[in-house]
Amino acid sequence: MDRYAVFGNPIGQSKSPFIHSQFALQCNQPMQYDAILAPVEGFADSWADFVASGGKGGNVTVPFKEQAFQLAEILSARAQQAGAVNTLYINNDGQLCGDNTDGIGLVADLTRLGVNLAGCTVLLLGAGGASRGAIGPLLDAGVTQLVLANRTLSKAQTIAATFDSRVLACGYTDIPVQAYPLIINATSAGLAGGRPVIDPNYLKDCQLAYDMVYGSRPTAFMQWAEQYGVVQQADGLGMLLAQAAAAFRLWRGITPDINPVMALLKQQWAT
Ligand code: ATR
C-alpha cells in the first residue's frame, strides 16, 4: 500500500490524517496516511527514513515548510514564490518535488464561498509565511489591488517588494481608506484567541471576513466582523481541506470533494 504522511512538530493536533483517510475512502485509493513527529532540526533525516520505508509523498506543516523547501530538488513556481513547501512527492525520475498548495487552497475556498476575485481589492492582514504563500495565487486569480497590512511594517514591505505594484505594504494605522470587499486575516493572532487590531471603519464595505485560522468556534476576528455588520464570515477550515485536496491530486491524480469531509469535521466538533 502506498504510504503518505504529514510531518510537523507538534503533530498530535493535525487533521490531515483524518482528511486524507477520508479522501482515500471517497476516491477508492488504497493508501496509508500517518502523522510523523519529526525533531525540530531533523526534518531531512525523518523524510529520508520515511522514503526508505516506502513513503511516496508527504505534507509538511509548522515548523518544517522552509526545511522542506531546502530539501526539494525540484520546486514548483508556487513553492518558489511562497518560499515554502507544504507538499512533497517523488516523480517518475526519482527526484524529490516540492509544491505549495496553501495559496490555491485559499483561492479555491474563497471561490466556494462565492467570492469573485477578478477585479477585487483585498485587505490582507499579517505578513508571515501564511500571507506570503497566499499573495501569488490571489493575484493570479485576478485580484487587482492587494493591501498587505502588518503590525511590523518592515515585514510587509519585504514581502511586497517581491511582487509588483499591485501589492502595497502598510502598518495597521495607515491602511489606505477605500472599499475592501474581502478582508483576510492571515495573522496567527487567532491561535491565541486574539485578532489584529484595526479600525472597524475598514469593515464598512466588507462582504466577507475570512480568517485563515479555524476551530470549533468562530474566531475573535470573525466575531468582531459580525459585530460590525459584515454579512459573511468564514474560518480557514475550507482552506485546510482545499490545500489537502490539491495535495491529494498531485499524488493520486484525482480531486476529492471536500464537502463531505468538512461536514464530518464539523460534526465531530459539535459532539
Ligand atoms: P505564519 O506562518 O502563520 O504566517 P508567522 O510567520 O510567525 O506565522 O507570522 C505570524 C503573523 O501574525 C505576523 O504577521 C505577525 O505580526 P508581526 O509580523 O508584527 O509579528 C502576526 N501576528 C501574530 N500575533 C499577532 C497579534 N496579536 N496581532 C497582530 N498580528 C499578529
Side-chain angles (χ1 to χ4, degrees):
M1 197 182 285
D2 289 345
R3 281 193 69 196
Y4 299 86
V6 58
F7 292 77
N9 188 332
I11 200 60
Q13 81 300 343
S14 175
K15 305 257 175 267
S16 293
F18 178 78
I19 292 169
H20 282 284
S21 305
Q22 290 297 319
F23 287 168
L25 275 176
Q26 184 195 115
C27 300
N28 209 14
Q29 295 293 297
M31 54 187 272
Q32 184 187 330
Y33 190 107
D34 299 307
I36 294 180
L37 178 72
V40 172
E41 296 302 333
F43 171 71
D45 288 344
S46 194
W47 174 260
D49 290 347
F50 175 67
V51 173
S53 70
K56 292 265 185 279
N59 288 127
V60 184
T61 187
V62 177
F64 298 127
K65 291 183 183 184
E66 284 78 19
Q67 289 183 48
F69 179 85
Q70 299 298 335
L71 193 65
E73 294 165 85
I74 297 179
L75 291 165
S76 70
R78 294 189 296 239
Q80 284 177 26
Q81 207 166 43
V85 158
N86 82 333
T87 305
L88 287 165
Y89 60 95
I90 295 158
N91 70 9
N92 291 336
D93 297 327
Q95 295 161 305
L96 180 60
C97 301
D99 203 337
N100 193 314
T101 62
D102 287 329
I104 54 167
L106 172 67
V107 166
D109 200 38
L110 293 170
T111 306
R112 179 185 69 87
L113 292 164
V115 178
N116 180 11
L117 289 167
C120 191
T121 298
V122 176
L123 175 58
L124 181 61
L125 304 171
S131 189
R132 183 173 166 189
I135 297 173
L138 286 168
L139 296 176
D140 289 348
V143 166
T144 39
Q145 203 199 354
L146 190 144
V147 174
L148 179 62
N150 196 43
R151 186 173 60 179
T152 311
L153 171 63
S154 60
K155 282 165 76 178
Q157 286 170 329
T158 302
I159 294 179
T162 66
F163 292 92
D164 60 34
S165 59
R166 287 173 292 179
V167 180
L168 178 89
C170 61
Y172 286 152
T173 52
D174 58 355
I175 299 171
V177 178
Q178 57 180 330
Y180 295 104
L182 173 61
I183 303 181
I184 301 170
N185 179 21
T187 75
S188 52
L191 295 175
R195 63 169 175 84
V197 179
I198 64 164
D199 191 317
N201 277 326
Y202 291 111
L203 294 174
K204 201 158 51 74
D205 298 292
C206 182
Q207 305 296 312
L208 171 64
Y210 191 98
D211 198 335
M212 287 195 195
V213 167
Y214 62 86
S216 54
R217 298 182 56 240
T219 65
F221 175 73
M222 291 164 69
Q223 291 178 35
W224 173 69
E226 186 182 24
Q227 184 192 335
Y228 282 93
V230 176
V231 278
Q232 193 183 10
Q233 305 92 31
D235 71 11
L237 182 63
M239 175 180 172
L240 173 77
L241 285 156
Q243 66 74 28
F248 191 92
R249 184 184 170 82
L250 285 169
W251 299 329
R252 312 298 299 184
I254 305 170
T255 307
D257 179 2
I258 70 166
N259 290 306
V261 188
M262 180 179 282
L264 285 173
L265 283 169
K266 286 186 173 166
Q267 212 173 43
Q268 286 178 2
W269 273 322
T271 53

